PDB file of all heavy atoms in Angstrom:
ATOM      1  N   ASN A   4     -49.117  50.477  52.795  1.00 40.00           N
ATOM      2  CA  ASN A   4     -50.460  49.879  52.867  1.00 40.00           C
ATOM      3  C   ASN A   4     -51.418  50.558  51.899  1.00 40.00           C
ATOM      4  O   ASN A   4     -52.186  49.922  51.186  1.00 40.00           O
ATOM      5  CB  ASN A   4     -51.013  50.000  54.289  1.00 40.00           C
ATOM      6  CG  ASN A   4     -50.392  48.977  55.204  1.00 40.00           C
ATOM      7  OD1 ASN A   4     -49.580  48.194  54.777  1.00 40.00           O
ATOM      8  ND2 ASN A   4     -50.786  49.005  56.462  1.00 40.00           N
ATOM      9  N   LYS A   5     -51.391  51.884  51.889  1.00 46.00           N
ATOM     10  CA  LYS A   5     -52.319  52.620  51.025  1.00 46.00           C
ATOM     11  C   LYS A   5     -52.007  52.380  49.559  1.00 46.00           C
ATOM     12  O   LYS A   5     -52.912  52.232  48.727  1.00 46.00           O
ATOM     13  CB  LYS A   5     -52.259  54.112  51.349  1.00 46.00           C
ATOM     14  CG  LYS A   5     -53.311  54.929  50.622  1.00 46.00           C
ATOM     15  CD  LYS A   5     -53.302  56.372  51.090  1.00 46.00           C
ATOM     16  CE  LYS A   5     -54.398  57.178  50.372  1.00 46.00           C
ATOM     17  NZ  LYS A   5     -54.396  58.587  50.832  1.00 46.00           N
ATOM     18  N   ALA A   6     -50.712  52.319  49.244  1.00 43.00           N
ATOM     19  CA  ALA A   6     -50.331  52.093  47.854  1.00 43.00           C
ATOM     20  C   ALA A   6     -50.790  50.729  47.366  1.00 43.00           C
ATOM     21  O   ALA A   6     -51.336  50.589  46.274  1.00 43.00           O
ATOM     22  CB  ALA A   6     -48.808  52.231  47.706  1.00 43.00           C
ATOM     23  N   VAL A   7     -50.557  49.703  48.187  1.00 37.00           N
ATOM     24  CA  VAL A   7     -50.990  48.353  47.807  1.00 37.00           C
ATOM     25  C   VAL A   7     -52.501  48.289  47.668  1.00 37.00           C
ATOM     26  O   VAL A   7     -53.044  47.676  46.747  1.00 37.00           O
ATOM     27  CB  VAL A   7     -50.483  47.327  48.843  1.00 37.00           C
ATOM     28  CG1 VAL A   7     -51.046  45.947  48.541  1.00 37.00           C
ATOM     29  CG2 VAL A   7     -48.969  47.264  48.837  1.00 37.00           C
ATOM     30  N   PHE A   8     -53.220  48.943  48.590  1.00 40.00           N
ATOM     31  CA  PHE A   8     -54.679  48.930  48.543  1.00 40.00           C
ATOM     32  C   PHE A   8     -55.195  49.585  47.268  1.00 40.00           C
ATOM     33  O   PHE A   8     -56.075  49.057  46.586  1.00 40.00           O
ATOM     34  CB  PHE A   8     -55.236  49.637  49.777  1.00 40.00           C
ATOM     35  CG  PHE A   8     -56.741  49.659  49.829  1.00 40.00           C
ATOM     36  CD1 PHE A   8     -57.439  48.516  50.192  1.00 40.00           C
ATOM     37  CD2 PHE A   8     -57.458  50.795  49.511  1.00 40.00           C
ATOM     38  CE1 PHE A   8     -58.820  48.515  50.242  1.00 40.00           C
ATOM     39  CE2 PHE A   8     -58.833  50.793  49.548  1.00 40.00           C
ATOM     40  CZ  PHE A   8     -59.516  49.662  49.921  1.00 40.00           C
ATOM     41  N   MET A   9     -54.644  50.755  46.913  1.00 47.00           N
ATOM     42  CA  MET A   9     -55.095  51.459  45.705  1.00 47.00           C
ATOM     43  C   MET A   9     -54.790  50.639  44.451  1.00 47.00           C
ATOM     44  O   MET A   9     -55.579  50.604  43.516  1.00 47.00           O
ATOM     45  CB  MET A   9     -54.408  52.833  45.628  1.00 47.00           C
ATOM     46  CG  MET A   9     -54.819  53.783  46.754  1.00 47.00           C
ATOM     47  SD  MET A   9     -56.593  54.147  46.754  1.00 47.00           S
ATOM     48  CE  MET A   9     -56.724  55.085  45.237  1.00 47.00           C
ATOM     49  N   LEU A  10     -53.629  49.941  44.454  1.00 39.00           N
ATOM     50  CA  LEU A  10     -53.282  49.113  43.299  1.00 39.00           C
ATOM     51  C   LEU A  10     -54.258  47.958  43.142  1.00 39.00           C
ATOM     52  O   LEU A  10     -54.732  47.663  42.041  1.00 39.00           O
ATOM     53  CB  LEU A  10     -51.854  48.584  43.462  1.00 39.00           C
ATOM     54  CG  LEU A  10     -51.358  47.625  42.354  1.00 39.00           C
ATOM     55  CD1 LEU A  10     -51.367  48.325  41.005  1.00 39.00           C
ATOM     56  CD2 LEU A  10     -49.952  47.117  42.690  1.00 39.00           C
ATOM     57  N   LEU A  11     -54.599  47.285  44.260  1.00 40.00           N
ATOM     58  CA  LEU A  11     -55.547  46.175  44.191  1.00 40.00           C
ATOM     59  C   LEU A  11     -56.916  46.646  43.728  1.00 40.00           C
ATOM     60  O   LEU A  11     -57.577  45.985  42.936  1.00 40.00           O
ATOM     61  CB  LEU A  11     -55.655  45.497  45.551  1.00 40.00           C
ATOM     62  CG  LEU A  11     -54.464  44.612  45.947  1.00 40.00           C
ATOM     63  CD1 LEU A  11     -54.608  44.170  47.394  1.00 40.00           C
ATOM     64  CD2 LEU A  11     -54.351  43.418  45.046  1.00 40.00           C
ATOM     65  N   VAL A  12     -57.364  47.797  44.226  1.00 45.00           N
ATOM     66  CA  VAL A  12     -58.655  48.338  43.803  1.00 45.00           C
ATOM     67  C   VAL A  12     -58.667  48.592  42.312  1.00 45.00           C
ATOM     68  O   VAL A  12     -59.619  48.250  41.595  1.00 45.00           O
ATOM     69  CB  VAL A  12     -58.986  49.631  44.583  1.00 45.00           C
ATOM     70  CG1 VAL A  12     -60.207  50.318  43.982  1.00 45.00           C
ATOM     71  CG2 VAL A  12     -59.231  49.325  46.046  1.00 45.00           C
ATOM     72  N   ALA A  13     -57.587  49.194  41.808  1.00 46.00           N
ATOM     73  CA  ALA A  13     -57.533  49.503  40.386  1.00 46.00           C
ATOM     74  C   ALA A  13     -57.540  48.240  39.527  1.00 46.00           C
ATOM     75  O   ALA A  13     -58.262  48.144  38.532  1.00 46.00           O
ATOM     76  CB  ALA A  13     -56.281  50.334  40.088  1.00 46.00           C
ATOM     77  N   LEU A  14     -56.736  47.249  39.910  1.00 39.00           N
ATOM     78  CA  LEU A  14     -56.670  46.012  39.135  1.00 39.00           C
ATOM     79  C   LEU A  14     -57.994  45.273  39.119  1.00 39.00           C
ATOM     80  O   LEU A  14     -58.470  44.826  38.075  1.00 39.00           O
ATOM     81  CB  LEU A  14     -55.569  45.118  39.703  1.00 39.00           C
ATOM     82  CG  LEU A  14     -54.124  45.568  39.465  1.00 39.00           C
ATOM     83  CD1 LEU A  14     -53.153  44.655  40.211  1.00 39.00           C
ATOM     84  CD2 LEU A  14     -53.796  45.595  37.987  1.00 39.00           C
ATOM     85  N   PHE A  15     -58.602  45.142  40.285  1.00 43.00           N
ATOM     86  CA  PHE A  15     -59.848  44.376  40.370  1.00 43.00           C
ATOM     87  C   PHE A  15     -60.999  45.116  39.685  1.00 43.00           C
ATOM     88  O   PHE A  15     -61.855  44.514  39.059  1.00 43.00           O
ATOM     89  CB  PHE A  15     -60.188  44.088  41.837  1.00 43.00           C
ATOM     90  CG  PHE A  15     -59.552  42.847  42.351  1.00 43.00           C
ATOM     91  CD1 PHE A  15     -58.218  42.838  42.709  1.00 43.00           C
ATOM     92  CD2 PHE A  15     -60.265  41.667  42.458  1.00 43.00           C
ATOM     93  CE1 PHE A  15     -57.621  41.690  43.174  1.00 43.00           C
ATOM     94  CE2 PHE A  15     -59.678  40.504  42.922  1.00 43.00           C
ATOM     95  CZ  PHE A  15     -58.350  40.519  43.276  1.00 43.00           C
ATOM     96  N   SER A  16     -61.021  46.426  39.816  1.00 46.00           N
ATOM     97  CA  SER A  16     -62.089  47.195  39.170  1.00 46.00           C
ATOM     98  C   SER A  16     -61.996  47.086  37.663  1.00 46.00           C
ATOM     99  O   SER A  16     -62.993  46.916  36.961  1.00 46.00           O
ATOM    100  CB  SER A  16     -62.013  48.664  39.603  1.00 46.00           C
ATOM    101  OG  SER A  16     -62.235  48.791  40.974  1.00 46.00           O
ATOM    102  N   SER A  17     -60.764  47.178  37.134  1.00 42.00           N
ATOM    103  CA  SER A  17     -60.566  47.064  35.691  1.00 42.00           C
ATOM    104  C   SER A  17     -60.989  45.687  35.187  1.00 42.00           C
ATOM    105  O   SER A  17     -61.682  45.561  34.184  1.00 42.00           O
ATOM    106  CB  SER A  17     -59.092  47.318  35.366  1.00 42.00           C
ATOM    107  OG  SER A  17     -58.847  47.115  33.996  1.00 42.00           O
ATOM    108  N   PHE A  18     -60.575  44.648  35.922  1.00 38.00           N
ATOM    109  CA  PHE A  18     -60.932  43.289  35.522  1.00 38.00           C
ATOM    110  C   PHE A  18     -62.431  43.074  35.615  1.00 38.00           C
ATOM    111  O   PHE A  18     -63.043  42.432  34.772  1.00 38.00           O
ATOM    112  CB  PHE A  18     -60.180  42.305  36.415  1.00 38.00           C
ATOM    113  CG  PHE A  18     -60.312  40.885  35.975  1.00 38.00           C
ATOM    114  CD1 PHE A  18     -60.086  40.521  34.649  1.00 38.00           C
ATOM    115  CD2 PHE A  18     -60.683  39.890  36.855  1.00 38.00           C
ATOM    116  CE1 PHE A  18     -60.209  39.217  34.239  1.00 38.00           C
ATOM    117  CE2 PHE A  18     -60.811  38.566  36.450  1.00 38.00           C
ATOM    118  CZ  PHE A  18     -60.574  38.241  35.140  1.00 38.00           C
TER     119      PHE A  18
END
Side-chain angles (χ1 to χ4, degrees):
N4 283 359
K5 187 174 182 180
V7 174
F8 181 76
M9 294 299 293
L10 177 61
L11 285 172
V12 170
L14 289 174
F15 273 78
S16 296
S17 175
F18 188 49

